[in-house]
Amino acid sequence: MGEGLPHNWGGPREGHPPGGNKERDEVDDLVAAWRDQRPDLDVAPLQVLSRVSRLARHLDIARRGAFAAHGLESWEFDVLSALRRAGPPFQLTPGALLRATLVTSGTMTNRIDRLAAAGLVSREPDPRDRRGVLVTLSERGQAVVDAAFIDLLERERALLASLGEDQRQVLADLLRTLLIPFDEGSPPGGR
């Protein structure tokens, strides 16, 4: 058993879901079928990553619903929330927004144009760079992103409702361990 894992998070046993949980999910069936068809392969990664993939789909649906309830698309929330997290005066350069949202320069220009047309952001000259601009969150943009964020948190809490606080922390720690190499640009396997 891995260090720091709760006692009921043991490894998989033949015919039973891992951790002594008697409930089965679709991934258990998928893994069992692959084990039957390809007993020569270690399909253990499916136990984790197929669940992560399925949860990502559910999270995407919840996120899109939260944003749509406030007239936003996911990309709009991403840009507005980057500005909101920057703190007063809720301004960033287009370059900083690029880094925060992982899109290309052309895509960001288009997004800023659309958000400005909707009255959610404005462009202002950058006093430190005569050629540069600052993108500023408008009062309306702040109200919309704040409301969407509250809705998002409610939906995400509902997705995690079956886990206790300690379980959520263990899961967060394990997922962080998996994500750090990607965030540092050196994913496992060198891909």
Side-chain angles (χ1 to χ4, degrees):
M1 202 176 325
E3 190 173 315
L5 297 179
H7 71 280
N8 62 343
W9 282 44
R13 294 182 310 281
E14 197 61 40
H16 296 282
N21 188 345
K22 301 297 183 213
E23 295 183 58
R24 293 181 63 83
D25 65 7
E26 291 181 19
V27 174
D28 291 317
D29 297 335
L30 178 141
V31 169
W34 275 116
R35 281 190 177 134
D36 287 345
Q37 296 303 310
R38 293 298 308 265
D40 57 313
L41 295 177
D42 175 11
V43 296
L46 295 175
Q47 289 281 0
V48 174
L49 298 176
S50 290
R51 286 184 175 91
V52 168
S53 177
R54 288 171 187 258
L55 283 168
R57 284 185 235 146
H58 291 291
L59 176 59
D60 185 53
I61 291 166
R63 289 174 62 86
R64 283 188 277 128
F67 304 150
H70 301 278
L72 296 175
E73 294 182 37
S74 294
W75 68 264
E76 291 171 308
F77 179 83
D78 289 345
V79 174
L80 297 176
S81 66
L83 289 165
R84 181 65 171 98
R85 290 189 313 269
F90 309 112
Q91 291 180 326
L92 290 172
T93 64
L97 284 169
L98 285 173
R99 289 185 294 280
T101 59
L102 304 175
V103 298
T104 65
S105 175
T107 298
M108 183 53 66
T109 298
N110 179 274
R111 289 180 176 184
I112 293 168
D113 289 345
R114 291 172 65 184
L115 290 168
L120 299 172
V121 303
S122 63
R123 283 190 182 90
E124 300 175 19
D126 186 342
R128 294 164 294 183
D129 178 358
R130 290 188 316 159
R131 295 174 298 155
V133 297
L134 293 171
V135 180
T136 304
L137 187 63
S138 70
E139 285 184 27
R140 179 170 175 263
Q142 182 177 345
V144 170
V145 75
D146 282 353
F149 185 57
I150 290 167
D151 194 359
L152 173 64
L153 289 174
E154 289 173 7
R155 292 171 192 242
E156 289 185 351
R157 274 190 200 89
L159 288 173
L160 296 170
S162 63
L163 298 177
E165 188 175 334
D166 290 345
Q167 290 173 312
R168 288 192 305 268
Q169 188 59 56
V170 169
L171 182 58
D173 291 344
L174 292 170
L175 291 171
R176 181 182 306 104
T177 298
L178 286 174
L179 283 172
I180 285 173
F182 292 93
D183 291 345
E184 292 174 347
S186 58
R191 292 187 185 129

